Amino acid sequence: MLLVLLISALLAYFVVSSDPTEGLDYASGDTPKELKQSICFSDSGPCPPTGFKWSIPASGVIRTRFEREDIDDRTEFRGWFRLEAAVFIQEEVRDCSTAVDWWLLADDKPIAHGTITAGGDDQEVTGTPPHEARFILLTARRTDSLSCRSTFQWVYAGLE
């Protein structure tokens, strides 16, 4: 019994402490909240994704700089951008159609860009940073002035 508890504790430690965003480390700028791996059982519903998330106010902008961990090994972006927004009206939570324009730059060279709307489909993050590029800059700007609370996420963020 003690061995089972020890193995379970070690497994839980490695799952919770593992890097949720392989290939990218936060370097500077707007600090994202990390969405870390948690112990999840399939019978309790879908497991929450790993990645990063930011709150973006109306007409707001976030700029986050990441450093690449392994320039030689990881060459393709991975993950999806997701935008969620809600507004409270008379004690009821309702969806809100906010929009965000986003850009990815590698050492100041444009790699990818797009627009995402709350309630719309997630957008796959694609692109290949130049081999020698050390830093990735993510910029996301709300293009609306709605008073909704908006959360921009990069789920399963990283490089592979």
Side-chain angles (χ1 to χ4, degrees):
M1 180 67 170
L2 183 59
L3 181 60
V4 171
L5 288 174
L6 181 61
I7 291 172
S8 296
L10 285 172
L11 179 60
Y13 170 78
F14 286 114
V15 167
V16 172
S17 65
S18 65
D19 184 0
T21 55
E22 293 182 34
L24 293 176
D25 287 327
Y26 168 79
S28 62
D30 294 297
T31 307
K33 179 178 180 186
E34 284 191 24
L35 305 169
K36 294 192 176 202
Q37 184 75 37
S38 61
I39 297 176
C40 180
F41 301 100
S42 61
D43 59 350
S44 63
C47 297
T50 60
F52 298 108
K53 74 176 181 178
W54 300 260
S55 179
I56 305 178
S59 301
V61 63
I62 57 112
R63 288 180 185 86
T64 301
R65 188 174 179 223
F66 297 97
E67 184 172 6
R68 289 176 64 184
E69 291 173 356
D70 303 315
I71 290 178
D72 296 326
D73 295 337
R74 301 179 190 278
T75 58
E76 298 283 329
F77 285 112
R78 72 168 191 197
W80 292 268
F81 288 134
R82 175 179 295 161
L83 185 62
E84 297 174 348
V87 64
F88 297 96
I89 299 175
Q90 298 176 353
E91 299 180 19
E92 184 179 325
V93 178
R94 296 187 186 170
D95 291 338
C96 189
S97 57
T98 61
V100 167
D101 287 340
W102 58 266
W103 299 266
L104 282 172
L105 296 126
D107 288 347
D108 298 321
K109 296 176 182 128
I111 301 300
H113 69 280
T115 299
I116 189 166
T117 56
D121 292 336
D122 293 351
Q123 288 186 358
E124 186 174 4
V125 181
T126 60
T128 304
H131 177 71
E132 71 284 352
R134 185 70 163 159
F135 294 98
I136 306 298
L137 177 65
L138 169 64
T139 302
R141 178 184 312 274
R142 284 261 309 258
T143 58
D144 64 89
S145 58
L146 301 171
S147 61
C148 308
R149 183 179 202 156
S150 191
T151 303
F152 181 74
Q153 300 176 47
W154 186 355
V155 294
Y156 302 112
L159 291 164
E160 52 186 10

